[in-house]
Amino acid sequence: MTTSAAGDADSITFESAVLEVEREFSMMLAAARGTFKDAAAAVHPGLQPLGFTVLMTLYRGGECPQGSVAEALQVDKALLSRTVSQLETLGLVVRRANPADGRVQLLNLTPEGRVRYENAHSAKRALLRDRLGSWTSSELQNLTDLLKKLNERN
């Protein structure tokens, strides 16, 4: 099988573009880790980013089984359990047995957890608004469409 010079150039261009996307994602993920670290500290100085992510998951989805949170966040159940224990100690999350199946622990935000999450999230969202402030609505929609396409699971 032979490849034309144009085909080779297209392949190199595609590979270069993928490498550039990878580099930009790496930079974005590093910045996101910092943002989540700051948001967690805004909730409580000793809270780790995973704790903030648990609060975010419960805020968006409401009460849910602890195992489902671990699965959604793709974290070890033992690590999540320790994080939830910290959140309980801080008065941000309540854990209770599922009345339908006592083996299942249900997690939910406390009113204090909801308020602290909302305050920290507002600061995080303000940072994003500042970063995107000069973008047009069309550019924002294009970014949204591309991210949705990237996140599609076939």
Side-chain angles (χ1 to χ4, degrees):
M1 180 175 158
T2 60
T3 305
S4 69
D8 287 344
D10 287 346
S11 177
I12 291 169
T13 302
F14 178 80
E15 289 303 318
S16 297
V18 169
L19 288 172
E20 187 65 18
V21 167
E22 181 181 28
R23 185 179 77 78
E24 292 300 324
F25 269 128
S26 294
M27 291 173 55
M28 186 176 67
L29 289 173
R33 281 191 297 272
T35 301
F36 273 78
K37 184 178 178 184
D38 293 345
V43 171
H44 186 275
L47 189 63
Q48 295 298 310
L50 177 58
F52 182 80
T53 307
V54 170
L55 295 177
M56 180 176 63
T57 302
L58 296 174
Y59 184 84
R60 290 179 177 170
E63 183 176 65
C64 65
Q66 185 168 319
S68 296
V69 174
E71 188 175 307
L73 299 179
Q74 298 182 11
V75 297
D76 178 74
K77 289 181 181 181
L79 174 60
L80 181 66
S81 182
R82 290 189 298 274
T83 300
V84 169
S85 291
Q86 179 191 27
L87 292 168
E88 281 183 302
T89 299
L90 295 173
L92 305 175
V93 168
V94 64
R95 182 173 14 195
R96 69 180 183 92
N98 184 341
D101 182 351
R103 299 169 297 170
V104 175
Q105 296 292 306
L106 298 175
L107 304 179
N108 206 352
L109 292 175
T110 63
E112 178 72 13
R114 180 170 296 282
V115 167
R116 288 198 190 193
Y117 171 79
E118 287 172 347
N119 290 339
H121 182 69
S122 292
K124 191 168 72 68
R125 180 171 281 158
L127 178 63
L128 183 60
R129 284 179 189 266
D130 286 346
R131 298 290 302 271
L132 299 174
S134 65
W135 291 37
T136 66
S137 294
S138 177
E139 288 172 323
L140 290 171
Q141 187 60 56
N142 189 39
L143 176 62
T144 300
D145 293 343
L146 291 170
L147 289 172
K148 284 180 181 178
K149 184 176 180 178
L150 182 65
N151 287 325
E152 284 176 359
R153 296 180 189 213
N154 297 330

